[in-house]
Amino acid sequence: MHSIVSLISGRGSNFEAIYKAAKAKSWDVRFTGLIANQPEAKGLEFAKSVGIPTAVIHHRSYSSREAFDGALMQQIDAFGADLVVLAGFMRILTPGFIQHYEGRMMNIHPSLLPRFPGLHTHERALEAGDRVHGATVHFVSAGVDEGPIICQSEVPVLPTDTPSELAARVLKTEHQIYPLAVEWFIQGRLQIAGNRVSVDPPELQYIPFP
Ligand code: GRF
């Protein structure tokens, strides 16, 4: 059975989508902990309501990134994780931390990577005049929003879109692709070769707009 620890900074809707998919499809998995770096992260409430152990590790209480990441690592490993799921976790991680969880830490990013790493992806997609936008689930490697891509989803950019309308459309697809990527992982179907991730047996790693 796989153990999942998730890291969040805010709302936690992606974590909730993964948890609900696990229940609905009876995945062979345990959610051993959820950690927030913001004491007021809304997602803590959901985790508590379903009996998942939670912890707050506030980055402001640490004098350096290394010290914060060290505390984070200790808590993740105390919960016990063979998969770390970053779900709206808004901190840049140190190389040592990333290396420790290499091949077993995933992130979701609200753009079609490698387009628009970093923040404000929806505003940037609109400013760039892109007609398609989307989301990416990837293994985490050194570099912000970099690492082997597990799957992506695409949404249209409508002529009247505001950043928040576009964000809402992308978020809907995030809630589809993140559970899918985690399910593949716990089924032992993901293989990483260099920067390429394949699913065995093969499946489309691209989810078109429904
Ligand atoms: C999502 O758009 C995710 O892609 C980004 O931050 C947002 C988190 O949303 N990294 P939530 O906390 O999962 O609701």
Side-chain angles (χ1 to χ4, degrees), residues 7-17 42-43 86-90 107-111 118-119 121-122 134-136 145 167 170-171 174-175 178:
L7 272 51
I8 65 163
S9 296
R11 184 175 51 189
S13 71
N14 274 291
F15 174 72
E16 200 172 323
K42 268 212 73 195
L86 306 181
F89 187 65
M90 306 301 282
N107 182 43
I108 188 153
H109 183 73
S111 80
L119 298 174
T121 56
H122 311 300
T136 304
D145 300 320
V170 170
L171 189 66
E174 292 185 38
H175 295 165
Y178 214 171

Side-chain angles (χ1 to χ4, degrees), residues 27-28 40 46 52 58 66 73 82 94 97 99 102 106 109 140 145 154 158 166 170 195 198:
W27 293 355
D28 190 22
E40 68 280 9
F46 173 77
I52 297 169
H58 197 184
E66 285 73 18
M73 206 186 289
D82 35 40
T94 54
F97 182 93
Q99 205 173 14
E102 195 158 11
M106 292 180 183
H109 183 73
V140 178
D145 300 320
E154 207 172 69
L158 304 185
L166 185 54
V170 170
N195 215 30
S198 53

